[in-house]
RNA sequence: UGGGGCGUCGCCAAGCGGCAAGGCACUGGGUUUUGAUCCCAGCAUUCGCAGGUUCGAAUCCUGCCGCCCCAGCCA
């Protein structure tokens, strides 16, 4: 398919601004708050912001919007940077911090007070809520609204100096308590928080709110297009209000797009944090998490994630994207690029009674069925093998294309064999299958013209290596976890992780590198675990199964 | 019942007055030493609904209906 996707609405805006000379170069920014790990929804935002800069030859900053020290930490700052880099993006210059602008922001607050546009308010949080009115009723003015400028200046200085307790006073903009847009009802600019900040230590006891900080941060960095999600749309008039009332030299504009919702997935930092805190998953980078680091560990590739973001488009709609699209994106990438190998997850012993004991035939097989340049690998073939329990039946109908007693099957890249007898214990459990090879069938069809109906994968029981394979499934059973009736914590899929300790892998897989992706033929895509894999104890994570159109 | 948004195939999404792109999913068929990949074909006489304007409307107008966001000293 010729990929010339139509321009999305943001690209249209930027192209126009550039064409009309409104801006000389597009400058965007990705502004996470360091209070959690990045998830797939952030990946879309990253793709939108960095992508816009990339497309139009501009720049994109990485800026930590760290105005609320209580929830933030250095750990998140580091993880976020690593994730952005891993996704393949390079931010312009150094990492930025909102906290680096605290003094400037404070100076602007003083300016607003001097201009009569802001005042110190003594209302408690509860009182402020009452004065704010409701969605349908206007609010009423705070009794402190008309304090003289000098008094406000003194009080603000006192707030900064630590003269007051948390919650005792706030600085508010003087706008309009009757505004239909709640954000304009004298919004809070500064609140007192006597906690140390991960970047500024104990320099400050007052911290600016998002509304008072974000637009000005953009202006300081000369951001031209400040892109955020739909829920901030109501904040735009306030964003503009600050920019118009402050002595700024740069004029950023805010644009909103619909954030990503994914079926069977949670994209809420708060809820993801709960999964981590309550031990439902092993951490933010658990392979079942929709975090960037979780997907990385699961075996997703940056290319697949970026492709996915391109596929879903950027609009002002807020729908739910089918997780099948994400799965398509990773399968597409891995099908093209992952080397093939064989791994038996549920071993059943297969003895080739006509094959010499102790003989090892080193089969040279391609690493990829259609990409010769990916090279070859050696797979040892021996008398005793393992095949998957699911690939053998004593009897079956013609739809079953695997090994059946008295019938033939092709051992992938090896011989065609014919099953002769089944060995059982006294409980009727199948212990092993005895079979014999059809001569001269490596690379050839049987000379008698009787072709096998199917192909199954296998690993030498004597030359193969044992491995641990972690088989993952979706974390939630509900298509929209937590909506409607549901508590998302009660919709967790109990089968989301199945650890296979006794899998058998072909020897070449014991020489993999952490984070190397493979297709285990007929099973799916797997990755050598980023942390736990080593040659002595190989550990693989299942990324995603092969597409399976065989319903039975 | 205040304000701000959004409604095109099961999902995502083009389209912006000239007669419904594309992708995912799904369904047939072909190739195949992965029931994978690949290939080919099918899949909205209709654009939330109802009126109106026009030779002509998903696109313009009017009125309804539905869904989402906002009453944190979170972002």
């Amino acid at each position: 398919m010729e990929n010339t996707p139509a321009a999305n609405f943001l690209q249209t805006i930027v192209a126009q601004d550039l064409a009309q000379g409104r801006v000389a170069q597009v400058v965007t920014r990705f502004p996470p708050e360091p209070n959690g790990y990045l998830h797939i929804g952030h990946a879309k935002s990253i793709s939108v912001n960095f992508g816009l800069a990339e497309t139009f030859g501009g720049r994109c900053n990485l800026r930590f919007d760290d105005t609320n020290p209580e929830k933030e930490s250095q750990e998140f700052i580091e993880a976020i940077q690593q994730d952005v880099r891993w996704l393949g993006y390079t931010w312009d210059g150094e990492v930025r911090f909102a906290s680096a602008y605290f003094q400037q922001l404070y100076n602007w607050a003083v300016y607003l007070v001097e201009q009569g546009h802001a005042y110190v308010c003594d209302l408690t949080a509860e009182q402020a809520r009452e004065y704010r009115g409701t969605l349908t009723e206007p609010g009423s003015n705070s009794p402190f609204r008309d304090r003289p400028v000098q008094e406000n200046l003194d009080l603000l200085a006192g707030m900064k100096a630590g003269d007051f307790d948390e919650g005792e006073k706030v600085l508010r903009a003087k706008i309009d308590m009757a505004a239909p847009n709640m954000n304009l009802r004298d919004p809070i600019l500064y609140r007192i928080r006597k906690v140390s900040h991960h970047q500024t230590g104990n320099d400050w006891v007052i911290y600016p709110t998002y509304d008072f900080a974000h637009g000005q941060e953009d202006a300081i960095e000369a951001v031209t297009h400040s892109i955020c999600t739909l829920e901030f749309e109501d904040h735009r008039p306030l964003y503009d209000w600050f920019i118009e009332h402050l002595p700024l030299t740069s004029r950023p504009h805010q644009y909103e797009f619909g954030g990503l919702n994914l079926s069977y997935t949670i994209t809420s930092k708060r809820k993801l944090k709960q999964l981590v805190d309550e031990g439902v998953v092993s951490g933010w980078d658990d392979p079942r998490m929709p975090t960037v680091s979780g997907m990385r560990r699961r075996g997703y590739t940056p290319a697949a994630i970026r492709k996915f973001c391109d596929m879903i488009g950027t609009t002002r709609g807020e729908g739910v994207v089918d997780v099948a699209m994400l799965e398509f994106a990773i399968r597409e990438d891995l099908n093209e690029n992952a080397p093939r190998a064989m791994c038996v997850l549920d071993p059943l012993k297969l003895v080739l009674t006509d094959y010499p004991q102790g003989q090892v035939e080193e089969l040279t097989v391609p690493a990829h069925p259609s990409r010769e340049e990916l090279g070859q690998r050696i797979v040892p073939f021996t008398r005793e093998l393992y095949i998957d329990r699911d690939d053998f039946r004593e009897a079956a109908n013609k739809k079953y294309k695997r090994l059946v007693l008295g019938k033939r099957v092709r051992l992938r890249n090896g011989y065609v064999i014919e099953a002769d007898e089944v060995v059982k214990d006294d409980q009727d459990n199948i212990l092993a299958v005895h079979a014999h090879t059809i001569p001269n069938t490596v690379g050839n069809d049987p000379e008698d013209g009787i072709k096998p109906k199917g192909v199954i994968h296998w690993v030498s029981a004597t030359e193969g290596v044992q491995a641990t394979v972690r088989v993952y499934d979706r974390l939630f059973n509900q298509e929209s976890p937590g909506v409607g009736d549901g508590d998302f914590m009660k919709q967790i899929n109990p089968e989301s992780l199945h650890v296979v300790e006794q899998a058998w892998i072909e020897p070449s897989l014991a020489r993999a590198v952490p984070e190397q992706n493979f297709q285990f033929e007929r099973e799916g895509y797997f990755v050598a675990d980023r942390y736990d894999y080593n040659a002595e104890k190989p550990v693989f994570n299942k990324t995603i199964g092969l597409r399976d159109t065989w319903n039975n």
Side-chain angles (χ1 to χ4, degrees), chain A residues 250-269:
Chain A
S250 154
R251 222 255 107 120
H253 287 270
Q254 175 182 305
Y255 303 90
E256 311 86 23
F257 72 99
L260 171 67
N261 294 302
L262 240 202
S263 62
Y264 297 100
T265 307
I266 268 176
T267 43
S268 149
K269 261 196 254 182

Side-chain angles (χ1 to χ4, degrees), chain A residues 465-467 505 507 509-514 532-540:
Chain A
V465 177
Q466 273 202 13
I505 56 177
L509 284 175
R511 294 187 294 272
V513 171
D532 301 332
Y533 177 94
N534 60 63
E536 290 69 46
K537 189 177 185 303
V539 178
F540 291 90

